[in-house]
Amino acid sequence: MNGYMDRIARVDLTSLEVTTEPLQEHTARKYLGGKGLGAYLLYHYLKPHTDPYAPDNLLIFDTGPLTGTTFPCSGRAAVITRSPMTGTFLDSYAGGSFGPMLKHAGYDVLVISGKAEKPVYILVDNGAISIREAGKLWGLATIDAERLLRNSLKEKDGARVSIATVGPAGEKLVRCANIATEGRAFGRGGAGAVMGSKNLKAVALRGSYKVAIADEAALKEVAGRARKKIAEHPMTKKGGVFPRMGTLMTTDVTQVTGTLPTRNWAENVFGRAEQINGNAFVQNKTKSHACYMCPIACSREIRTTAFGVKTVNEGPEYETVFSFGANCEIGDPAVINAADKLCEEYGMDTITCGSAVGFAMECFEKGLITTKDTGGLDLHFGNGEAVVALVHLIGKKEGIGAVLSDGVRHASTKIKGSADFAIHVKGLELPGYDPRGMKGQGLTYALSDRGACHVRSNTLRTELLAPSEKTDRYSYEGKAVMVSELQLTYVMFDVLISCAFGAFAITPEDYVDAVSATTGWSFSMKELRTLTQRTWNLTRLFNSREGFDRKDDTLPPRLFNEASTKGPSRGQVVDKKAFEKMLDEYYEAVGWDIATGIPTKKTLNELGIADW
Amino acid sequence: MNGYMDRIARVDLTSLEVTTEPLQEHTARKYLGGKGLGAYLLYHYLKPHTDPYAPDNLLIFDTGPLTGTTFPCSGRAAVITRSPMTGTFLDSYAGGSFGPMLKHAGYDVLVISGKAEKPVYILVDNGAISIREAGKLWGLATIDAERLLRNSLKEKDGARVSIATVGPAGEKLVRCANIATEGRAFGRGGAGAVMGSKNLKAVALRGSYKVAIADEAALKEVAGRARKKIAEHPMTKKGGVFPRMGTLMTTDVTQVTGTLPTRNWAENVFGRAEQINGNAFVQNKTKSHACYMCPIACSREIRTTAFGVKTVNEGPEYETVFSFGANCEIGDPAVINAADKLCEEYGMDTITCGSAVGFAMECFEKGLITTKDTGGLDLHFGNGEAVVALVHLIGKKEGIGAVLSDGVRHASTKIKGSADFAIHVKGLELPGYDPRGMKGQGLTYALSDRGACHVRSNTLRTELLAPSEKTDRYSYEGKAVMVSELQLTYVMFDVLISCAFGAFAITPEDYVDAVSATTGWSFSMKELRTLTQRTWNLTRLFNSREGFDRKDDTLPPRLFNEASTKGPSRGQVVDKKAFEKMLDEYYEAVGWDIATGIPTKKTLNELGIADW
């Protein structure tokens, strides 16, 4: 009744209709926000088997109960859609200020459907939603489009502007296109291509609405408590590894454990890893950047020069260092930084893009493609100039780039003999942790709802950083239950929507208290757990409806069949039988049918999502 | 595609959904705005036989193609709904700044449906629409609610605030409740009761959007031309009768022609008319007020004291002077001014309210009601204190006021023996022109789409002020065609939406040029004429659908059966046979079935509204 808080806005780009409606409390309490609420909306409002590029596909931006409040590390936003990479449920997240600004502009959720006749952008301006011509922005790099639009919208009355855009890749339906915002991205799965398919160049937010807080004092207390923990935790405190280098700390960890995918996953240690590790990049660090309400500021500006061209870049993250670095046998931070920047400008996911380059290199080295196919590019592993050139081709969807732009699954159907080393699950390329050296991560990838993913559970901490006797990384024992619990933790981050880094210091109990303070509910750990289970089951149900089942919960053949030859994990594969046993145990643990991997009626009943 | 112009906003107070959609050009070109567009929307989106107080009834505020532009006298707005007084189509208009501000706030049309759980108001703020609690405003007089809300919304960034409110009468479903704005009102037919039935206290508008003009230079030219004509025309120029006294000039005209309804229509001259004529009121005039973009400024502040109570009032208009004056045999401007002000505070139509008082006085004088019924009030004609007291009772829906609050038609079913002098058509009380002295006005009343009305055609000019040989006011000859043409002129005012006073100077050709300039169409006189016919037929079709037909196109029995005894029109009645012949001729002229009075298929086909 207070008008602006807790409202869902729907924009149909075909009819140009804009609808806003309250977010019902019973729905919010069942699905909270972010992934949960997005799954609820997508499951209910997207017709089954809708082509991801069809106007009817929904592109949902949403927030969580803590977004826009003073609670630390709560400044992220989600985008939810059906993925053109995988055909599965897709949720991607980005930091910056887009999430908080969506609330300040008047809405919790923005649901976009339809397809505009001409390029447009959506402006949400202190509650008012308009659809505006974007002809002048079309074709521009994400960064340029954002800058131009920001200048035209001028910040006023203390109301900042937040903008999310697609680049040329999204416009051209490069399948791995992402949505960029303030040097960050809603990265994986192709949400940018969905946005491009709608002729939607950008979403701009401006507003000065206050976020409603049920109990200001209680929120102040728990936010203060959380900030204190962040300030004290060795990972997140000033001078800690996250403020210093963010995700770049990971390269050393995966390298020493034999889990750093190298040479398109033929190996899992990289000879020049030290040249591209965290310290190597941090030498070129010129600034730190923080998302809204983040005391950690893990993001960093890196300045390098490759082939005479200067790059001033926000990033790269570890995943990019893996995909364009070890995976392509590139040992030069400047090349990785340049490739990362190009991906940002075209608006493309760096894991998919770097993986596609590594995959093409293996094709090239094996003679499956030649310079005739590559337009003269010498795609031997380690050729940095070729990497940069190939990113351009993928972004422009030209030549061999057009083949690769759909990701390695589709490319492998066009390049004969390459299917055995197309490294993906359900069509999404694997992030930079090799399951042959950490068996739990294999289960993580196989079961992730959006295709292979390292943030739908990640065994980095439990298998690599701080393994217990029970979690030997080469063992399969107990991994099913471990992964199922980790998944719920990641769902927690994604329904809240909260940053996983802050969670090194903040406890689930803190989050629960913060939710109670903002919503006025007596939220509980038990309720949170059920809610995360409900959400995880709902995305599974979505995928089941689209035809996915147990047979899709698998890994690329290379991980089952080919051992690496060097480093601590040499000789290791993922044992197919042991893997299938893990799957049995997992389905058993979460209450899914063992034969099909589909949630049982009993499970759905218990979670209050039956009879749909 | 420019986002804000030409948009329809829908607010459902039950679901709290807000939807905006483009106003399609083909619809705008067929129905233009105001009455036409409102009729289109009501006909299509209101289910037949919806109770006017049902949540499903629609309350539509809209504007015209010139609203918010610099074209003079274009500052009015319309409200369209199904009338609780009559059950017919209802369109009412008000000046001030509400119409232009609706456009500046981002919309051409605001369609309200549903019923709020608790009292609310709607805020349209630079495109953003919110539904807000109005508990603190509930129960307040219109003027106080407007002031309080205006203060709470503070004008900012040069964006003015416009507010329309209901008073206690609308809240209590007093059937003749109106909607007040800036001392003006959407007056007749009970739109305020519909608003009250929705628990909607107010609509507030704020914004600084520019109104889109296709050809600025062309508009400047025609607006300048129109302003020049207004400045030169004897009625509208500085010192002219409209700037001096507005509608109050009429009292002298109706008095000298024997058309001033007196003593509840028993007579049509009033012995003390001179005491309440224009000059009498203007002696107490302290200020002039103009609507948005009006060079005439016909509205005036009148200060009087009655029974020791000071009244500072915007008004009254002639209709109020008739209804509370001659009709109740009140010869004191201060009493009329006080009654007018009370009607504004409670939020009630003054024609219906004054007519109900006059009707009650006749009941009282005839002994049909006594002081037992009136709570002690002596309701003899001419008792000013009783008039004021009775307005309070009607506004509060207390005692005899509750009976009268539904209007004379409903009251006459409760007071035995009063039906013969309940002066209404289709449930709406007659304005202050007696058809016995101007036969064409009788046809006007009988055929008006919202019940008896003097602004759905008015023969004041053609029968009283400037009669030709062909338009003898006591004759029935040629009146059918005359009225049918006048109706189209009034539809023109109401689709534009333009003030009828400016039209004394501005020509239809000027309006057509102004529409072309604002819309970019090559609008023509022929197109305008067809459009007004289409609109008039559509409201007729709406009423037909609700069960109205020829039998309802009639006049109160008194006008057929009782002649007045004094003045120029003494001895005159409306001859029933001659009246029915006029009706035949009228139906024939406009292409309606003579037996039923329903538009023929042929007519609907010609106007492009068949097959609905």
Side-chain angles (χ1 to χ4, degrees):
Chain A
M1 210 58 131
N2 56 3
Y4 287 113
M5 301 323 306
D6 305 331
R7 282 192 82 79
I8 299 174
R10 300 172 193 275
V11 177
D12 187 79
L13 296 172
T14 303
S15 70
L16 306 178
E17 252 191 48
V18 176
T19 303
T20 73
E21 61 182 301
L23 170 54
Q24 300 296 337
E25 185 167 342
H26 61 87
T27 307
R29 191 139 189 182
K30 272 186 96 168
Y31 295 99
L32 212 54
K35 183 187 190 97
L37 189 57
Y40 172 81
L41 293 169
L42 198 72
Y43 192 91
H44 281 280
Y45 295 110
L46 186 68
K47 250 176 70 182
H49 314 307
T50 302
D51 186 286
Y53 291 153
D56 284 350
N57 193 10
L58 302 177
L59 186 72
I60 304 172
F61 290 94
D62 77 353
T63 59
L66 307 180
T67 313
T69 72
T70 55
F71 194 81
C73 306
S74 60
R76 294 167 71 79
V79 69
I80 285 114
T81 188
R82 186 177 179 210
S83 165
M85 289 291 295
T86 61
T88 63
F89 174 84
L90 171 64
D91 52 333
S92 283
Y93 303 83
S97 69
F98 191 85
M101 206 53 65
L102 183 54
K103 282 201 177 176
H104 294 318
Y107 301 97
D108 284 36
V109 186
L110 177 61
V111 182
I112 300 162
S113 59
K115 179 181 177 175
E117 269 180 40
K118 294 172 183 179
V120 297
Y121 72 94
I122 293 171
L123 174 66
V124 185
D125 188 0
N126 256 323
I129 300 177
S130 55
I131 301 158
R132 301 178 162 213
E133 287 187 11
K136 287 179 185 168
L137 302 174
W138 204 249
L140 293 185
T142 57
I143 299 170
D144 298 328
E146 186 173 338
R147 187 186 305 120
L148 199 72
L149 188 50
R150 184 180 300 281
N151 288 343
S152 80
L153 291 174
K154 286 189 195 94
E155 305 180 349
K156 62 174 186 185
D157 314 331
R160 288 194 49 213
V161 176
S162 287
I163 295 168
T165 73
V166 295
E171 297 172 11
K172 293 199 171 106
L173 308 189
V174 167
R175 221 177 270 263
C176 67
N178 66 21
I179 302 170
T181 180
E182 298 170 21
R184 288 127 177 96
F186 301 90
R188 307 223 67 198
V194 174
M195 191 157 152
S197 76
K198 298 187 174 308
N199 266 329
L200 179 63
K201 180 66 179 178
V203 175
L205 311 172
R206 179 167 60 189
S208 50
Y209 289 120
K210 279 188 188 166
V211 175
I213 308 290
D215 186 340
E216 295 271 7
L219 181 67
K220 197 177 168 189
E221 187 279 320
V222 64
R225 191 201 314 160
R227 265 192 299 274
K228 189 157 180 284
K229 287 180 182 175
I230 289 170
E232 289 169 355
H233 191 281
M235 296 288 280
T236 54
K237 72 178 183 187
K238 234 176 214 174
V241 67
F242 279 137
R244 264 193 300 129
M245 55 174 71
T247 55
L248 292 176
M249 53 83 73
T250 311
T251 317
D252 284 341
V253 178
T254 50
Q255 169 72 359
V256 302
T257 53
T259 56
L260 172 59
T262 301
R263 205 180 162 84
N264 194 38
W265 297 74
E267 301 294 340
N268 41 36
V269 287
F270 178 43
R272 281 167 287 160
E274 246 182 317
Q275 296 171 27
I276 57 167
N277 71 2
N279 284 325
F281 275 96
V282 166
Q283 284 169 16
N284 304 302
K285 176 173 167 179
T286 41
K287 276 181 194 168
S288 280
H289 289 132
C291 297
Y292 179 98
M293 280 299 158
C294 174
I296 302 172
C298 76
S299 179
R300 65 230 85 79
E301 182 186 274
I302 302 286
R303 292 180 184 240
T304 56
T305 302
F307 318 119
V309 179
K310 261 193 201 169
T311 296
V312 181
N313 184 37
E314 182 89 8
E317 302 297 334
Y318 164 69
E319 296 301 333
T320 313
V321 173
F322 131 71
S323 70
F324 282 108
N327 194 53
C328 299
E329 295 201 325
I330 299 292
D332 181 354
V335 172
I336 296 167
N337 204 37
D340 188 46
K341 180 75 177 185
L342 283 178
C343 282
E344 188 189 357
E345 289 177 345
Y346 284 106
M348 298 191 289
D349 178 47
T350 61
I351 298 179
T352 288
C353 206
S355 297
V357 174
F359 166 81
M361 286 176 151
E362 183 158 353
C363 290
F364 188 85
E365 297 224 350
K366 287 191 162 148
L368 305 181
I369 56 173
T370 68
T371 49
K372 278 187 190 163
D373 304 299
T374 65
L377 282 182
D378 169 7
L379 286 184
H380 278 97
F381 280 108
N383 184 349
E385 283 184 286
V387 167
V388 169
L390 196 47
V391 173
H392 277 295
L393 290 179
I394 295 172
K396 291 178 177 165
K397 230 174 163 175
E398 285 176 8
I400 187 75
V403 176
L404 296 171
S405 74
D406 280 340
V408 303
R409 176 172 65 174
H410 285 93
S412 73
T413 64
K414 292 180 183 158
I415 302 172
K416 271 188 190 168
S418 67
D420 280 353
F421 55 86
I423 309 297
H424 68 89
V425 173
K426 300 184 178 73
L428 198 66
E429 289 74 12
L430 270 61
Y433 305 87
D434 190 335
R436 288 171 295 193
M438 47 198 300
K439 311 298 188 198
Q441 194 75 339
L443 199 59
T444 290
Y445 290 163
L447 289 164
S448 162
D449 48 10
R450 66 176 188 178
C453 182
H454 63 297
V455 283
R456 297 293 171 276
S457 152
N458 189 328
T459 64
L460 173 70
R461 275 213 269 186
T462 48
E463 291 193 310
L464 303 188
L465 292 178
S468 72
E469 275 176 31
K470 288 183 189 167
T471 58
D472 176 83
R473 59 201 179 90
Y474 296 118
S475 159
Y476 304 87
E477 288 300 313
K479 297 295 173 71
V481 169
M482 181 188 83
V483 166
S484 74
E485 289 300 320
L486 281 169
Q487 286 168 337
L488 296 185
T489 302
Y490 277 82
V491 173
M492 177 184 78
F493 300 151
D494 293 343
V495 293
L496 277 169
I497 306 166
S498 192
C499 174
F501 292 176
F504 272 76
I506 304 168
T507 67
E509 287 78 6
D510 297 330
Y511 290 123
V512 164
D513 288 350
V515 170
S516 292
T518 53
T519 59
W521 309 331
S522 299
F523 203 59
S524 69
M525 286 295 291
K526 185 159 174 289
E527 194 173 351
L528 175 63
R529 184 179 172 81
T530 307
L531 194 155
T532 55
Q533 289 173 318
R534 185 182 297 126
T535 297
W536 189 246
N537 276 269
L538 184 51
T539 63
R540 183 75 180 182
L541 213 55
F542 180 95
N543 288 344
S544 298
R545 196 169 67 174
E546 297 299 340
F548 292 89
D549 61 16
R550 174 165 182 152
K551 72 177 178 321
D552 302 295
D553 296 342
T554 186
L555 293 171
R558 173 161 281 175
L559 303 191
F560 289 127
N561 304 326
E562 302 176 36
S564 64
T565 63
K566 297 171 207 155
S569 298
R570 69 185 174 282
Q572 288 280 343
V573 293
V574 177
D575 181 76
K576 190 72 170 48
K577 268 195 185 163
F579 174 81
E580 295 295 335
K581 187 163 170 278
M582 279 201 299
L583 269 187
D584 289 348
E585 289 165 6
Y586 175 86
Y587 295 146
E588 178 81 32
V590 300
W592 295 354
D593 179 72
I594 289 178
T596 63
I598 296 173
T600 63
K601 278 277 165 206
K602 181 169 172 287
T603 302
L604 296 177
N605 265 319
E606 283 168 8
L607 298 171
I609 44 174
D611 299 328
W612 278 3
Chain B
M1 209 60 131
N2 55 4
Y4 287 114
M5 300 324 306
D6 305 331
R7 282 193 82 80
I8 299 174
R10 301 172 192 274
V11 178
D12 187 79
L13 296 173
T14 303
S15 71
L16 305 179
E17 253 192 46
V18 176
T19 304
T20 74
E21 61 182 300
L23 170 54
Q24 299 296 337
E25 185 167 341
H26 62 87
T27 307
R29 191 139 189 183
K30 272 186 94 168
Y31 294 100
L32 212 54
K35 182 187 190 99
L37 188 57
Y40 172 82
L41 293 169
L42 198 73
Y43 191 90
H44 281 281
Y45 295 109
L46 186 68
K47 248 176 71 182
H49 314 306
T50 303
D51 186 288
Y53 290 153
D56 284 350
N57 194 9
L58 301 178
L59 187 73
I60 304 172
F61 291 94
D62 76 355
T63 58
L66 308 179
T67 312
T69 72
T70 55
F71 195 82
C73 305
S74 61
R76 294 167 70 80
V79 69
I80 285 114
T81 188
R82 187 178 180 209
S83 164
M85 288 292 295
T86 61
T88 64
F89 175 84
L90 172 63
D91 53 333
S92 283
Y93 303 83
S97 69
F98 191 85
M101 206 53 65
L102 183 54
K103 281 201 177 176
H104 295 317
Y107 301 97
D108 283 37
V109 186
L110 177 62
V111 181
I112 300 162
S113 59
K115 180 181 177 175
E117 269 180 40
K118 295 173 183 177
V120 296
Y121 73 93
I122 293 172
L123 174 66
V124 185
D125 188 359
N126 256 323
I129 300 177
S130 55
I131 302 158
R132 300 177 163 214
E133 286 187 12
K136 285 181 187 168
L137 302 173
W138 204 248
L140 292 185
T142 58
I143 299 170
D144 298 329
E146 187 172 339
R147 187 186 305 120
L148 199 72
L149 189 49
R150 184 179 300 280
N151 288 344
S152 80
L153 291 174
K154 286 190 195 91
E155 304 181 347
K156 63 173 185 184
D157 313 332
R160 287 193 49 213
V161 177
S162 287
I163 295 168
T165 73
V166 294
E171 297 172 10
K172 293 197 172 110
L173 308 189
V174 168
R175 221 176 270 263
C176 67
N178 66 19
I179 302 170
T181 180
E182 298 171 22
R184 288 126 177 96
F186 301 90
R188 307 221 68 197
V194 174
M195 191 157 152
S197 76
K198 298 188 173 308
N199 266 330
L200 178 62
K201 179 67 178 179
V203 175
L205 310 172
R206 178 167 61 188
S208 51
Y209 289 119
K210 278 187 189 167
V211 175
I213 308 290
D215 185 341
E216 293 271 7
L219 182 67
K220 197 177 169 189
E221 187 280 319
V222 64
R225 190 202 315 162
R227 265 193 299 274
K228 189 158 178 284
K229 287 179 182 175
I230 289 170
E232 288 169 356
H233 191 281
M235 295 288 280
T236 54
K237 71 179 183 185
K238 235 177 214 175
V241 66
F242 279 138
R244 265 194 298 128
M245 55 174 69
T247 54
L248 292 176
M249 53 81 73
T250 312
T251 317
D252 285 341
V253 178
T254 50
Q255 169 72 2
V256 302
T257 53
T259 55
L260 172 59
T262 299
R263 206 180 162 87
N264 194 38
W265 298 73
E267 301 294 341
N268 42 35
V269 287
F270 177 43
R272 281 167 287 161
E274 248 183 318
Q275 295 171 29
I276 57 168
N277 71 2
N279 285 324
F281 274 96
V282 166
Q283 285 169 16
N284 304 301
K285 176 174 167 179
T286 40
K287 275 182 197 169
S288 281
H289 289 133
C291 298
Y292 179 98
M293 280 297 158
C294 174
I296 302 172
C298 76
S299 179
R300 64 229 87 79
E301 183 186 273
I302 301 287
R303 292 180 184 240
T304 55
T305 302
F307 319 120
V309 179
K310 262 194 202 169
T311 297
V312 180
N313 184 36
E314 182 89 8
E317 302 297 334
Y318 164 69
E319 296 301 334
T320 314
V321 173
F322 132 71
S323 70
F324 281 110
N327 194 52
C328 298
E329 296 200 323
I330 298 293
D332 182 354
V335 172
I336 296 166
N337 204 37
D340 188 46
K341 181 75 176 184
L342 283 178
C343 281
E344 188 188 357
E345 289 178 343
Y346 284 106
M348 298 191 289
D349 178 47
T350 61
I351 299 179
T352 288
C353 206
S355 298
V357 173
F359 167 80
M361 286 175 150
E362 182 158 353
C363 289
F364 188 86
E365 295 226 349
K366 288 194 162 145
L368 305 182
I369 56 173
T370 68
T371 49
K372 276 187 192 164
D373 303 299
T374 66
L377 283 182
D378 170 7
L379 285 185
H380 278 97
F381 279 108
N383 184 351
E385 284 184 286
V387 167
V388 169
L390 197 45
V391 173
H392 277 295
L393 290 178
I394 295 172
K396 291 178 177 164
K397 231 175 162 173
E398 285 177 8
I400 187 77
V403 176
L404 297 171
S405 75
D406 280 340
V408 302
R409 176 172 64 173
H410 286 94
S412 74
T413 64
K414 292 180 183 156
I415 302 172
K416 270 188 192 169
S418 66
D420 280 352
F421 55 87
I423 308 297
H424 69 88
V425 173
K426 299 185 178 74
L428 198 66
E429 290 74 11
L430 271 61
Y433 305 86
D434 190 335
R436 288 170 297 192
M438 45 198 302
K439 310 300 187 197
Q441 195 75 338
L443 199 59
T444 289
Y445 290 163
L447 289 165
S448 161
D449 49 10
R450 65 177 188 178
C453 182
H454 64 298
V455 283
R456 296 292 171 276
S457 153
N458 189 327
T459 64
L460 174 69
R461 275 214 268 185
T462 48
E463 290 193 309
L464 302 188
L465 292 178
S468 72
E469 275 177 29
K470 287 183 188 165
T471 57
D472 176 83
R473 60 200 179 91
Y474 296 119
S475 159
Y476 304 87
E477 288 301 312
K479 297 296 173 73
V481 169
M482 181 188 84
V483 166
S484 74
E485 290 299 321
L486 281 169
Q487 285 168 336
L488 297 185
T489 301
Y490 277 83
V491 173
M492 178 184 76
F493 300 150
D494 293 343
V495 293
L496 277 168
I497 306 168
S498 192
C499 173
F501 292 176
F504 272 75
I506 304 169
T507 67
E509 287 78 6
D510 297 330
Y511 290 124
V512 164
D513 289 350
V515 170
S516 291
T518 53
T519 59
W521 309 331
S522 299
F523 203 58
S524 69
M525 286 295 292
K526 186 160 173 286
E527 194 173 351
L528 175 63
R529 184 179 172 82
T530 307
L531 194 156
T532 55
Q533 289 172 317
R534 186 182 296 126
T535 297
W536 189 246
N537 274 269
L538 184 51
T539 63
R540 183 73 180 185
L541 214 55
F542 180 95
N543 288 344
S544 297
R545 195 169 69 175
E546 296 299 341
F548 292 89
D549 62 16
R550 174 166 182 151
K551 72 177 179 320
D552 302 296
D553 295 342
T554 187
L555 292 170
R558 173 161 281 177
L559 303 191
F560 288 128
N561 304 328
E562 302 176 36
S564 65
T565 63
K566 295 172 208 158
S569 299
R570 70 184 173 282
Q572 288 280 344
V573 292
V574 177
D575 181 75
K576 190 72 169 49
K577 267 195 185 164
F579 174 81
E580 294 296 336
K581 187 161 168 280
M582 281 201 298
L583 268 188
D584 288 348
E585 290 165 3
Y586 175 86
Y587 295 146
E588 178 80 33
V590 300
W592 294 356
D593 180 72
I594 289 178
T596 62
I598 296 174
T600 63
K601 277 278 164 203
K602 181 170 171 288
T603 302
L604 296 177
N605 264 319
E606 283 169 8
L607 298 171
I609 44 175
D611 298 328
W612 280 5

